[in-house]
């Protein structure tokens, strides 16, 4: 239990004011001032220091039924956040502790202690718990190793490979003994990063020519695993290069998130019969049993310098929306983080 320290009178928070059709527009959102909330029994008040913006949030802006409830209109939006506890009415968490929680898009949040995970700022930078050691990192780890059933010697293709998830997928595959790792990205600069810093064997700029042709050149012997962050022409190209018993793990399809009409599916699904291939979607929430193993293994790689990561940091709660739109445009290299 702690006494309430001197706090500002208001906290700024982002609200969704309208359901976007196609690309989200600034008029669909509002940055609102609200009173700093006070925690009740079993709750903590957190001053957010870093908040996450992620592609899946676009789906929550729609009213369509999905695997997670849509954002409520004219209410604070949600997302990963890490911050400092300033008031605690909960056993086991003290003022000054740092916690990971899911009430981002705002400066201050009242969090149920059961929904807050203590993190150690001495073990890793706080922002890392939103990316390389957080949900995006576990997504890469579980999707590659469990959903795609990666095994040593596999050839792996990753789309959106310079993003927070994709860059980690490629590096984990290399560390686990992949025979070849290929990535696609949206700029020549990102392609260079994949090969020179992250250790991909090959990479290409999908804006420079047909994905199927570029993948054919980069993977002359085909691919055993495709980790899909993009969908569309990338998925079709991967099916076209899939080897016998190939596996495709569908993490996201950012290329179609803002479409107003259903996107056409791959025209070559019949090839899965020849290859005995399979496509499987997954959600990171189904794999939290891997959390301890993930943090131990990936944390070791980070400390040894074997696994590298980048963050794109945008400063200020007022720029939260622009940071999110930047993720949809592919402006970020690695994890997009907003520092408050």
């Amino acid at each position: 239990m702690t006494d309430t320290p001197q706090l500002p009178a208001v906290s700024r928070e982002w609200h969704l004011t309208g359901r976007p059709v196609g690309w989200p527009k600034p008029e669909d959102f509002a940055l609102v001032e609200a009173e700093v909330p006070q925690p009740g029994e079993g709750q903590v008040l957190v001053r957010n220091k870093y908040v996450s913006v992620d592609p899946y949030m676009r789906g929550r802006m729609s009213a369509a039924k999905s695997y997670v409830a849509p954002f409520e209109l004219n209410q604070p939006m949600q997302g990963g956040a890490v911050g400092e506890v300033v008031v605690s009415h909960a056993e086991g968490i003290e003022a000054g502790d740092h916690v990971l929680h899911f009430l981002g898009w705002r400066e201050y949040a009242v969090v149920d202690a059961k929904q807050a995970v203590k993190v150690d700022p001495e073990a890793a930078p706080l922002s890392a718990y939103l990316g390389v050691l957080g949900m995006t990192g576990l997504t890469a780890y579980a999707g590659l190793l469990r959903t795609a059933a990666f095994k040593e010697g596999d050839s792996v293709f990753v789309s959106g490979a310079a993003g927070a998830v994709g860059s980690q997928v490629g590096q984990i595959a290399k560390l686990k003994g992949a025979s070849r790792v290929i990535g696609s990205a949206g700029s020549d600069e990102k392609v260079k990063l994949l090969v020179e810093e992250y250790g991909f064997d090959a990479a290409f700029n999908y804006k420079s020519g047909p994905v199927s042709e570029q993948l054919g050149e980069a993977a002359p012997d085909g691919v055993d695993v495709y980790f899909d962050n993009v969908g569309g022409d990338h998925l079709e190209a991967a099916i076209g290069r899939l080897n016998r018993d190939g596996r495709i793990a569908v993490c996201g399809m950012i290329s179609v998130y803002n479409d107003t009409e259903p996107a056409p599916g791959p025209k070559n699904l019949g090839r899965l019969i020849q290859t005995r291939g399979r496509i499987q979607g997954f959600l990171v929430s189904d794999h939290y049993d891997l959390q301890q193993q993930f943090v131990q293994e990936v944390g070791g790689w980070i400390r040894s310098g074997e696994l590298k990561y980048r963050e794109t940091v945008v400063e200020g709660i007022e720029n939260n929306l622009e940071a999110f739109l930047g993720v949809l445009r592919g402006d970020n290299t690695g994890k997009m983080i907003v520092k408050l």
Side-chain angles (χ1 to χ4, degrees):
M1 303 283 287
T2 60
D3 295 327
T4 303
Q6 188 66 38
L7 297 170
V10 296
S11 169
R12 290 178 294 173
E13 56 190 34
W14 281 95
H15 290 195
L16 184 70
T17 57
R19 304 248 177 238
V21 176
W23 274 85
K25 300 178 180 61
E27 51 265 35
D28 296 321
F29 306 85
L31 183 59
V32 175
E33 288 190 349
E35 289 187 13
V36 172
Q38 295 303 313
E41 195 62 34
Q43 296 182 320
V44 295
L45 175 65
V46 181
R47 179 173 62 240
N48 286 334
K49 291 191 171 183
Y50 295 92
V51 300
S52 178
V53 286
D54 301 280
Y56 79 87
M57 293 173 175
R58 176 61 184 88
R60 296 196 68 188
M61 295 171 187
S62 167
K65 188 174 181 179
S66 184
Y67 61 87
V68 64
F71 291 132
E72 294 183 36
L73 292 178
N74 303 306
Q75 295 294 322
M77 288 159 49
Q78 299 169 344
V82 64
E84 181 181 359
V85 175
V86 291
V87 180
S88 175
H89 291 164
E91 294 291 332
I93 301 180
E94 304 292 335
D97 286 344
H98 291 84
V99 296
L100 177 68
H101 63 91
F102 208 66
L103 297 180
W105 289 80
R106 67 198 83 181
E107 292 177 307
Y108 286 83
V110 165
V111 183
D112 290 338
K114 293 178 181 178
Q115 305 299 321
V117 177
K118 287 171 67 171
V119 297
D120 183 0
E122 300 299 321
L126 283 175
S127 58
Y129 293 103
L130 295 175
V132 67
L133 285 176
M135 184 176 69
T136 51
L138 181 58
T139 300
Y141 189 87
L144 177 68
L145 301 182
R146 179 176 280 174
T147 305
F150 170 86
K151 60 184 184 297
E152 186 176 355
D154 279 344
S155 173
V156 178
F157 171 43
V158 188
S159 58
V165 173
S167 59
Q168 209 155 335
V169 170
Q171 291 183 82
I172 292 171
K174 290 292 291 185
L175 288 163
K176 290 284 190 179
S179 61
R180 188 167 177 80
V181 174
I182 302 120
S184 73
S187 74
D188 293 341
E189 182 181 12
K190 290 180 179 180
V191 166
K192 184 178 179 182
L193 173 72
L194 292 176
V195 175
E196 296 185 0
E197 185 167 333
Y198 293 155
F200 282 57
D201 296 289
F204 60 86
N205 182 347
Y206 66 84
K207 297 176 182 177
S208 297
V211 174
S212 58
E213 293 180 10
Q214 295 194 80
L215 179 59
E217 294 173 3
D221 297 321
V223 297
D224 301 299
V225 168
Y226 170 47
F227 194 102
D228 191 15
N229 290 306
V230 174
D233 55 356
H234 281 75
L235 178 57
E236 185 168 297
I239 293 171
R241 298 302 302 169
L242 204 63
N243 289 333
R244 167 76 186 260
D245 298 315
R247 290 88 66 205
I248 295 174
V250 181
C251 176
M253 293 194 171
I254 197 169
S255 69
V256 302
Y257 286 170
N258 295 305
D259 288 357
T260 56
E261 297 292 336
K267 298 188 291 291
N268 58 348
L269 282 172
R271 195 166 185 279
L272 294 175
I273 301 169
Q274 306 162 28
T275 62
R276 290 74 153 178
R278 67 174 171 85
I279 302 177
Q280 182 177 345
F282 74 98
L283 295 174
V284 66
S285 56
D286 295 333
H287 301 284
Y288 282 124
D289 61 297
L290 292 174
Q291 178 76 28
Q292 188 173 354
Q293 173 186 324
F294 155 71
V295 171
Q296 182 177 357
E297 190 163 25
V298 174
W301 288 331
I302 292 171
R303 287 190 294 274
S304 69
E306 293 174 279
L307 192 146
K308 300 174 174 62
Y309 69 97
R310 291 273 191 104
E311 294 174 340
T312 300
V313 180
V314 172
E315 300 218 3
I317 186 73
E318 64 276 8
N319 294 315
N320 221 95
L321 175 60
E322 181 57 29
F324 167 70
L325 296 175
V327 169
L328 297 183
R329 292 191 299 260
D331 293 351
N332 55 303
T333 298
K335 183 75 183 76
M336 181 74 89
I337 301 283
V338 180
K339 182 179 180 181
L340 305 190

